[in-house]
């Protein structure tokens, strides 16, 4: 067990070392979400009336946070797929290390990267008017939630990354999977304007429950249309926790098994 | 004692339509070098991957240092080193970073990992490049670093999959030197190669594989004998073909092959350069000046031809190109 953790940390350290050797990766993976914050804040900010104090940026920030950590799935998938292509996974598998070390270390590494990105985004948000009102503890809890959600999504990325033949496929598959999820949600606009069936989808969408949960933790009221009063709308935090547990319960064992049978295609 | 045993390995892909290994048997005596020789697609990499615990066969048994590869892969991983067909190191990291990472993954202490890295970089003449990202390494340097990484724990059994493919002659010489040193150190080595010359130089014993089976096995000398050993080849003017044929027959004592179009006369010889000198002398006495005269050592292609009666399948196009190229060159 101790070995499993220390092996995983070596893999995580490798990823951080990569960032130190090629800082551009970190720079651009933070620039993108920052750009999203600014674009949404100033492009849509004027046209969406939120009916809440502080304006659109208050609703937007939780949405963008969740979108960003949801995309950890893509980062993990692409990273692992590249390792596989270069034969590194083979090499790791020929070493006497714990069976989960490589994938666990990778998801942890992507988690650490998420912390950096979240901090930079939070600061950017603050600069453009984001003011959570719930107090330090709840705000911190909100970020913990975001971190864990990113970590859970990362495990889906492991399975995808180890299953596809090529990095580019990993990139495409994950974008196709995550983009609709983040847009068919309450992340950027209230779901009240969607056709009814979509509202129901958006209501159960883990991205929505995460966004609604974070809004709660950051001191905002959530608004729902047709789905107001439904279970996920009423209990977004609880529902998000259930989703995270479900995702990990399914994808951690699948991913570890996939890793142990992985071979270059 | 056998350090490596593979028994009746079968591995198929694509629901059985591709038989990568078709009942492969081999073993390696402890402290010796086995060269696994075969053309593209013969099953070399598949064999190595199974022995190195990366792949499960459909059926068959394999053991390394007496440990069952399928039942106790974790135990096997503690005593083997593997350097795959393509260098598998982290390109964005430096050579130093890579060796430290792998050292730590072998559960060396930080200090031991550093000491071993310094040693290995020195041994593989990579000290100067240690702090450069692998991205900037040449193919030969990459290959050496990859090999260094597989030696961190001083493995008992080492698997090298085509360690010199893609290296220039100088790089190949260097790699041979490195491997010679390892073997002197007592490691048991299984290496794959497409070059008879390489197997000849490095291996105590050679197993020739084709279509996932071992089709011949023995020391390089015994294999060459099976193949027919060296051939004397002489190209002369049209007018001299008949006379030359007689001379070659005398020197060789076996059947002489005459290619009228190329005006080439050839026959197997067992006495090497002595036969060559003898033939040259006799030609000179007969007043014949050959356009080309030489000894041709058996190549992998010849091994295949003589052992299987077919040219290594995937290489048919390539080989016929190469042969015609060679013949053109001789004119
Ligand atoms: N993942 C795979 N899926 C389908 N077929 C495969 C796979 N891996 C190997 N094969 C097939 O198995 C056979 C043996 O392949 P292998 O890689 O062991 O050959 P090799 O001797 O190492 O060749 P090379 O000299 O080109 O490296 C080939 O016909 C190859 O096409
Ligand atoms: Mg191969």
């Amino acid at each position: 067990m101790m070995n499993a953790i220390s092996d995983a940390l070596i893999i995580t350290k490798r990823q951080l070392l990569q960032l130190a050797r090629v800082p551009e990766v970190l720079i651009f993976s933070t620039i993108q979400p920052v750009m999203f914050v600014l674009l949404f804040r100033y492009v849509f900010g004027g046209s969406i009336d939120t009916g809440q104090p502080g304006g659109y940026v208050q609703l937007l920030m939780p949405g963008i946070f969740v979108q960003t950590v949801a995309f950890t799935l893509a980062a993990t998938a692409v990273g692992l797929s590249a390792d596989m292509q270069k034969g590194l996974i083979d090499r790791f598998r020929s070493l006497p290390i714990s069976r989960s070390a490589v994938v666990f270390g990778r998801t942890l590494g992507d988690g650490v990267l998420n912390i950096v990105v979240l901090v930079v985004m939070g600061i950017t948000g603050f600069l453009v008017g984001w003011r959570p009102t719930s107090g330090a503890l709840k705000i911190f809890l909100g970020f913990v939630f975001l971190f864990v959600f990113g970590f859970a999504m990362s495990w889906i990325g492991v399975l995808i990354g180890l299953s596809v033949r090529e990095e580019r496929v990993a990139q495409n598959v994950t974008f196709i999977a995550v983009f609709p999820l983040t847009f068919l949600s309450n992340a950027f606009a209230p779901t009240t304007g969607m056709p009814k069936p979509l509202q129901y989808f958006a209501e159960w969408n883990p991205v929505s429950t995460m966004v609604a949960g974070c809004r709660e933790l950051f001191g905002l009221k959530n608004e729902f249309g047709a789905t107001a009063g439904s279970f996920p709308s009423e209990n977004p935090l609880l529902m998000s926790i259930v989703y995270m547990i479900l995702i990990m319960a399914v994808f951690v064992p699948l991913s570890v098994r996939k890793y142990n049978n992985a071979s270059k295609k | 004692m056998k350090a490596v045993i593979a028994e009746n390995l079968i591995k198929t892909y694509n629901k059985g339509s591709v038989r990568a290994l078709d009942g492969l048997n081999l073993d390696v005596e402890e402290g010796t070098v086995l060269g696994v020789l075969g053309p593209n697609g013969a099953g070399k990499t598949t064999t190595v991957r199974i022995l190195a615990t990366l792949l499960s066969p459909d059926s068959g048994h394999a053991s390394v240092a007496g440990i069952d590869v399928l039942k106790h892969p974790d135990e096997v991983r503690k005593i083997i080193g593997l350097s795959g067909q393509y260098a598998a190191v982290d390109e964005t990291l430096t050579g130093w970073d890579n060796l430290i990472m792998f050292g730590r993954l072998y559960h060396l202490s930080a200090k031991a990992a550093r000491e071993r890295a310094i040693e290995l970089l020195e041994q593989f003449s990579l000290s100067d490049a240690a702090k450069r990202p692998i991205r900037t390494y040449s193919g030969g340097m990459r290959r050496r670093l990859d090999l260094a990484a597989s030696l961190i724990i001083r493995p008992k059994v080492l698997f090298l999959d085509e360690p010199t493919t893609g290296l220039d002659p100088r790089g190949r010489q260097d790699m041979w030197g490195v491997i010679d040193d390892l073997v002197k150190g007592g490691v048991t080595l299984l290496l794959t190669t497409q070059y008879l010359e390489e197997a000849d130089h490095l291996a105590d014993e050679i197993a020739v594989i084709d279509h996932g089976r071992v089709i011949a096995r023995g020391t390089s000398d015994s294999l060459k004998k099976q193949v027919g050993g060296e051939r004397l080849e002489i190209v002369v003017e049209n007018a001299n073909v008949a006379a030359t044929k007689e001379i070659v027959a005398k020197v060789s004592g076996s059947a002489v092959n005459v290619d009228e179009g190329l005006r080439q006369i050839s026959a197997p010889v067992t006495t090497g350069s002595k036969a060559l000198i003898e033939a040259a002398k006799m030609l000179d006495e007969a007043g014949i000046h050959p356009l080309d005269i030489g000894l041709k050592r058996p190549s992998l292609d010849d091994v295949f031809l003589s052992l299987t009666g077919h040219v290594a399948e995937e290489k048919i196009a390539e080989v016929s190109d190469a042969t015609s190229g060679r013949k053109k060159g001789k004119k």
Side-chain angles (χ1 to χ4, degrees):
Chain A
M1 187 62 200
M2 280 319 290
N3 264 347
I5 293 172
S6 65
D7 289 346
L9 289 179
I10 295 164
I11 302 290
T12 306
K13 190 173 153 208
R14 159 200 171 215
Q15 231 175 312
L16 302 183
L17 214 57
Q18 285 181 330
L19 293 180
R21 300 277 180 245
V22 195
E24 297 93 298
V25 175
L26 184 61
I27 293 171
F28 284 102
S29 48
T30 20
I31 284 183
Q32 196 186 330
V34 164
M35 190 185 72
F36 265 111
V37 171
L38 297 178
L39 282 177
F40 277 95
R41 163 73 177 84
Y42 291 105
V43 176
F44 299 125
S47 54
I48 297 176
D49 178 21
T50 64
Q52 296 207 40
Y56 178 62
V57 72
Q58 310 306 326
L59 288 178
L60 169 70
M61 287 312 293
I64 292 207
F65 283 140
V66 174
Q67 184 193 43
T68 304
V69 294
F71 269 105
T72 317
L73 187 158
T76 305
V78 171
L80 269 179
S81 165
D83 281 356
M84 181 98 122
Q85 240 43 57
K86 292 188 184 126
L88 265 170
I89 297 291
D90 272 359
R91 160 140 271 154
F92 287 137
R93 284 183 56 228
S94 77
L95 302 179
I97 55 176
S98 131
R99 287 161 181 278
S100 59
V102 170
V103 283
F104 184 50
R106 160 72 58 175
T107 53
L108 215 58
D110 286 328
V112 173
L113 187 58
N114 265 346
I115 295 177
V116 178
V117 173
L118 284 173
V119 167
V120 174
M121 283 173 77
I123 293 169
T124 314
F126 189 80
L127 292 177
V128 298
W130 176 54
R131 297 286 184 275
T133 57
S134 51
L137 183 68
K138 283 199 167 174
I139 296 175
F140 178 72
L141 215 59
F143 279 104
V144 170
F145 244 74
L146 287 165
F147 173 82
V148 178
F149 183 63
F151 185 72
M153 292 297 275
S154 194
W155 283 99
I156 307 180
V158 173
L159 193 66
I160 296 175
L162 293 176
S163 304
V164 298
R165 270 176 237 259
E166 250 193 71
E167 263 173 271
R168 275 174 300 175
V169 183
Q171 178 90 25
N172 294 336
V173 168
T174 48
F175 270 65
I176 291 168
V178 181
F179 253 118
L181 273 185
T182 60
F183 280 93
L184 289 174
S185 78
N186 58 1
F188 303 109
T191 55
T192 43
M194 295 180 187
K196 264 223 178 115
L198 284 188
Q199 284 195 32
Y200 286 108
F201 177 83
E203 162 198 359
W204 288 95
N205 181 349
V207 171
S208 295
T209 65
M210 272 301 298
V211 172
C214 285
R215 283 184 182 145
E216 242 177 66
L217 286 171
F218 293 148
L220 294 170
K221 273 208 296 291
N222 281 297
E223 280 180 46
F224 298 94
T227 65
S230 74
F231 184 80
S233 309
E234 290 289 304
N235 307 284
L237 283 175
L238 179 64
M239 202 57 219
S240 300
I241 293 173
V242 170
Y243 277 136
M244 289 189 250
I245 292 173
L246 270 180
I247 291 174
M248 299 230 256
V250 172
F251 284 93
V252 172
L254 280 182
S255 297
V256 171
R257 209 182 69 176
K258 185 84 203 173
Y259 168 80
N260 283 297
N261 300 321
S263 62
K264 212 170 136 190
K265 278 166 211 99
Chain B
M1 187 168 134
K2 301 289 180 198
V4 179
I5 301 175
E7 272 172 9
N8 219 359
L9 293 180
I10 294 184
K11 177 73 193 177
T12 60
Y13 289 105
N14 299 343
K15 303 200 177 72
S17 65
V18 180
R19 286 182 91 75
L21 296 185
D22 192 10
L24 181 123
N25 288 291
L26 56 78
D27 52 69
V28 190
E29 187 68 31
E30 195 178 323
T32 69
V33 182
L34 176 72
V36 175
L37 182 68
N40 290 131
K44 302 184 294 295
T45 299
T46 308
T47 306
V48 167
R49 289 174 56 87
I50 289 174
L51 293 172
T53 77
L54 297 179
L55 198 67
S56 301
D58 300 353
S59 67
H61 291 282
S63 70
V64 171
I67 307 167
D68 190 313
V69 171
L70 298 169
K71 287 197 190 113
H72 306 288
D74 290 335
E75 296 306 309
V76 171
R77 286 171 193 158
K78 284 182 193 154
I79 53 161
I80 60 165
L82 165 68
S83 176
Q85 188 165 359
Y86 306 97
V89 282
D90 190 328
E91 306 229 312
T92 48
L93 299 186
T94 64
W96 174 262
D97 292 340
N98 269 286
L99 291 181
I100 297 293
M101 169 177 70
F102 289 120
R104 300 288 280 151
L105 286 173
Y106 277 115
H107 304 131
L108 297 185
S109 70
K111 182 160 167 281
R114 277 198 302 273
E115 283 168 3
R116 188 70 181 130
I118 292 170
E119 249 171 60
L120 285 166
L121 288 164
E122 186 66 34
Q123 185 184 346
F124 288 84
S125 323
L126 288 167
S127 302
D128 292 339
K131 301 287 161 134
R132 268 170 34 200
I134 305 286
R135 232 180 313 114
T136 68
Y137 282 24
S138 73
M141 293 164 78
R142 248 173 242 230
R143 210 57 234 226
R144 292 209 299 277
L145 190 86
D146 191 80
L147 181 54
S150 66
L151 295 175
I152 289 174
I153 48 152
R154 297 186 173 84
K156 276 193 195 156
V157 179
L158 184 62
F159 298 101
L160 302 180
D161 195 3
E162 300 196 23
T164 65
T165 299
L167 299 188
D168 65 12
R170 169 79 201 286
R172 179 163 300 160
Q173 285 296 333
D174 289 353
M175 187 55 90
W176 284 7
V178 165
I179 294 173
D180 279 336
D181 289 345
L182 286 174
V183 171
K184 277 189 208 118
V187 71
T188 302
L189 171 62
L190 186 155
L191 88 133
T192 75
T193 179
Q194 303 190 26
Y195 310 110
L196 185 63
E197 194 197 353
E198 181 161 296
D200 202 355
H201 181 105
L202 294 172
D204 300 311
E205 237 195 325
I206 298 173
V208 182
I209 69 172
D210 185 33
H211 294 300
R213 295 165 152 277
V214 173
I215 55 171
R217 174 161 186 179
T219 62
S220 93
D221 284 345
S222 72
L223 275 179
K224 277 186 189 158
K225 259 187 214 128
Q226 279 191 48
V227 177
E230 290 171 318
R231 288 180 79 79
L232 176 64
E233 276 187 13
I234 304 175
V235 180
V236 292
E237 304 281 2
N238 265 330
N240 297 326
V241 168
T244 307
K245 186 181 168 192
E246 262 170 52
I247 292 174
V248 171
K250 253 185 233 154
V251 173
S252 152
S254 348
V256 179
N257 184 38
V258 179
D259 185 324
E260 297 283 350
L262 291 164
R263 294 155 296 151
Q264 186 196 59
I265 301 94
S266 67
V269 291
T270 48
T271 49
S273 53
K274 230 176 121 200
L276 181 66
I277 294 167
E278 210 176 316
K281 228 190 249 164
M282 290 167 80
L283 285 170
D284 193 47
E285 279 161 11
I288 299 170
H289 301 289
L291 300 172
D292 188 17
I293 177 166
L295 282 175
K296 192 173 159 263
R297 298 214 158 72
S299 66
L300 179 56
D301 301 335
D302 300 327
V303 175
F304 267 82
L305 240 112
S306 81
L307 289 174
T308 65
H310 74 89
V311 180
E313 240 158 48
E314 282 193 14
K315 292 179 78 181
I316 285 175
E318 251 176 74
V319 167
S320 59
D321 280 0
T323 340
S324 58
R326 196 151 59 222
K327 284 176 180 165
K328 259 180 238 139
K330 282 199 168 183
K331 258 180 219 167

